């Protein structure tokens, strides 16, 4: 991707945990007890075809042509190629963020825990679901089904990607503070965890092009000797520290983010 001066800008934020800067804004559907997390075998078969066969060339071409994408540490995933695991990644692109984890652990199926808005567009929401989206529930009953689906996919030896920052900040080069709540899943299921940190680096003779280099770290493991709350916090901190360290490899701030207080 070539750096264009007209596209470079500064974004001011007030809330690191909750501000959203994605260009795609949509009213999310309600995920209640009527939502079917456990699809039938025919649906699941079609999902495999779309997710791991038909869409894969598009993912590869987009990542390579648009961002000259590269992995560092991909070999670390081999340790658990026959196991289910969780992937935690920073959230800086609307589309590429969903492609990168599935490219990393192909042919393993990768599922993504997403905001319901991602499957809310009429006519195309089902495609997003077939690509592996698991929407966050809104009710107690749907939460039970949601948790069963997560456990099912892990037991099937798939991977599940989570974006702990929750909101998209395009081209952000740091790692935003994030909560530990999503780390309860691997703790309760005693499942390995990996992190993917997407960084932005310049290349070309004039250093006027941007590529994404994704660093894979792990596996990290829940500490079985700790209580759930303590183990959750410890796992969160290990992943956060790894992502902070890797984020320092970014060497271009294409979009600058500043607090409004510093305006």
């Amino acid at each position: 991707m070539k750096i264009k001066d007209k596209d470079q800008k500064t974004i001011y934020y007030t809330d690191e945990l909750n501000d959203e800067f994605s260009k795609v804004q949509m009213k999310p559907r309600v995920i209640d007890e009527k939502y079917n997390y456990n699809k039938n075998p025919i649906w699941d078969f079609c999902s495999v075809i779309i997710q791991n066969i038909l869409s894969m060339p598009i993912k590869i071409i987009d990542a390579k042509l648009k961002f000259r994408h590269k992995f560092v540490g991909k070999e670390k995933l081999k340790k658990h190629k026959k196991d289910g695991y969780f992937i935690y990644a920073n959230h800086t692109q609307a589309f590429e963020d969903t492609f990168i984890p599935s490219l990393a652990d192909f042919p393993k199926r990768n599922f993504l825990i997403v905001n319901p808005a991602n499957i809310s567009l009429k006519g195309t929401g089902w495609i997003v679901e077939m690509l592996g989206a698991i929407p966050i529930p809104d009710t107690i009953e749907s939460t039970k089904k949601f948790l069963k689906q997560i456990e099912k996919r892990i037991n099937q030896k798939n991977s599940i990607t989570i974006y702990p920052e929750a909101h998209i900040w395009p081209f952000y080069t740091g790692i935003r503070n994030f909560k530990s709540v999503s780390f309860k899943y691997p703790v309760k299921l005693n499942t390995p965890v990996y992190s993917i940190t997407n960084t932005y680096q310049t290349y070309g003779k004039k250093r006027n092009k941007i590529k994404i280099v994704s660093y894979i770290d792990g596996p990290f493991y829940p500490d079985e000797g700790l209580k759930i709350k303590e183990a959750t916090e410890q796992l969160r901190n290990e992943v956060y520290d790894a992502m902070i360290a890797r984020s320092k490899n970014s060497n271009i701030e294409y979009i600058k983010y500043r607090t409004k207080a510093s305006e």
Side-chain angles (χ1 to χ4, degrees), residues 129-225:
E129 291 180 86
M130 282 201 164
L131 286 169
I134 303 176
I136 296 170
D138 290 307
T139 67
I140 294 176
E141 286 302 315
S142 59
T143 297
K144 294 177 182 177
K145 296 179 180 180
F146 170 78
L147 294 175
K148 286 182 180 179
Q149 179 68 2
I150 289 177
E151 185 173 5
K152 173 186 174 180
R153 294 308 185 186
I154 289 296
N155 289 339
Q156 289 176 335
K157 307 186 187 308
N158 300 305
S159 63
I160 296 179
T161 296
I162 297 174
Y163 305 98
E165 294 173 324
H167 304 281
I168 299 175
W169 285 26
F171 293 93
Y172 186 64
T173 57
I175 300 298
R176 288 166 275 151
N177 186 26
F178 51 76
K179 297 178 181 179
S180 62
V181 61
S182 65
F183 289 84
K184 283 185 179 180
Y185 309 136
V187 170
K188 289 185 176 181
L189 296 175
N190 193 26
T191 307
V193 164
Y194 288 92
S195 66
I196 293 182
T197 310
N198 300 311
T199 66
Y200 295 92
Q201 301 180 24
T202 57
Y203 72 97
K205 290 183 178 180
K206 298 181 179 179
R207 313 304 292 179
N208 63 342
K209 296 180 181 180
I210 299 175
K211 63 181 177 181
I212 293 179
V213 180
S214 299
Y215 295 87
I216 298 176
D217 287 293
F220 305 98
Y221 301 100
D223 189 332
E224 296 182 75

Side-chain angles (χ1 to χ4, degrees), residues 39-241:
K39 312 295 186 185
N40 63 51
I42 295 177
W43 169 283
D44 211 42
F45 174 77
C46 292
S47 175
V48 173
I49 299 299
I50 292 176
Q51 187 179 12
N52 271 26
I53 299 177
L54 297 182
S55 69
M56 200 54 63
I58 297 173
K59 296 174 182 178
I60 294 171
I61 291 170
D62 177 88
K64 289 295 183 182
L65 290 187
K66 187 176 179 180
F67 284 110
R68 201 176 182 180
H69 180 261
K70 175 186 175 182
F71 284 111
V72 175
K74 186 178 175 181
E75 71 282 353
K76 297 172 184 176
L77 297 173
K78 292 181 180 179
K79 184 172 183 177
H80 289 288
K81 65 180 181 180
K82 295 183 179 180
D83 305 311
Y85 51 74
F86 289 88
I87 295 173
Y88 290 81
N90 53 331
H91 212 1
T92 62
Q93 295 290 329
F95 300 108
E96 285 73 19
D97 281 2
T98 64
F99 297 171
I100 289 170
S102 62
L103 291 175
D105 61 9
F106 179 82
K108 185 188 290 289
R109 290 181 73 187
N110 177 253
F111 293 84
L112 308 103
I113 294 180
V114 303
N115 186 296
N118 289 275
I119 64 164
S120 298
L121 185 62
K122 290 184 179 180
T124 61
W126 65 273
I127 297 178
V128 180
E129 291 180 86
M130 282 201 164
L131 286 169
I134 303 176
I136 296 170
D138 290 307
T139 67
I140 294 176
E141 286 302 315
S142 59
T143 297
K144 294 177 182 177
K145 296 179 180 180
F146 170 78
L147 294 175
K148 286 182 180 179
Q149 179 68 2
I150 289 177
E151 185 173 5
K152 173 186 174 180
R153 294 308 185 186
I154 289 296
N155 289 339
Q156 289 176 335
K157 307 186 187 308
N158 300 305
S159 63
I160 296 179
T161 296
I162 297 174
Y163 305 98
E165 294 173 324
H167 304 281
I168 299 175
W169 285 26
F171 293 93
Y172 186 64
T173 57
I175 300 298
R176 288 166 275 151
N177 186 26
F178 51 76
K179 297 178 181 179
S180 62
V181 61
S182 65
F183 289 84
K184 283 185 179 180
Y185 309 136
V187 170
K188 289 185 176 181
L189 296 175
N190 193 26
T191 307
V193 164
Y194 288 92
S195 66
I196 293 182
T197 310
N198 300 311
T199 66
Y200 295 92
Q201 301 180 24
T202 57
Y203 72 97
K205 290 183 178 180
K206 298 181 179 179
R207 313 304 292 179
N208 63 342
K209 296 180 181 180
I210 299 175
K211 63 181 177 181
I212 293 179
V213 180
S214 299
Y215 295 87
I216 298 176
D217 287 293
F220 305 98
Y221 301 100
D223 189 332
E224 296 182 75
L226 298 176
K227 294 181 179 179
I228 290 179
K229 184 177 181 180
E230 295 170 342
T232 298
E233 286 292 335
Q234 178 173 304
L235 193 58
R236 177 263 178 207
N237 292 340
E238 288 180 358
V239 170
Y240 181 76
D241 290 345

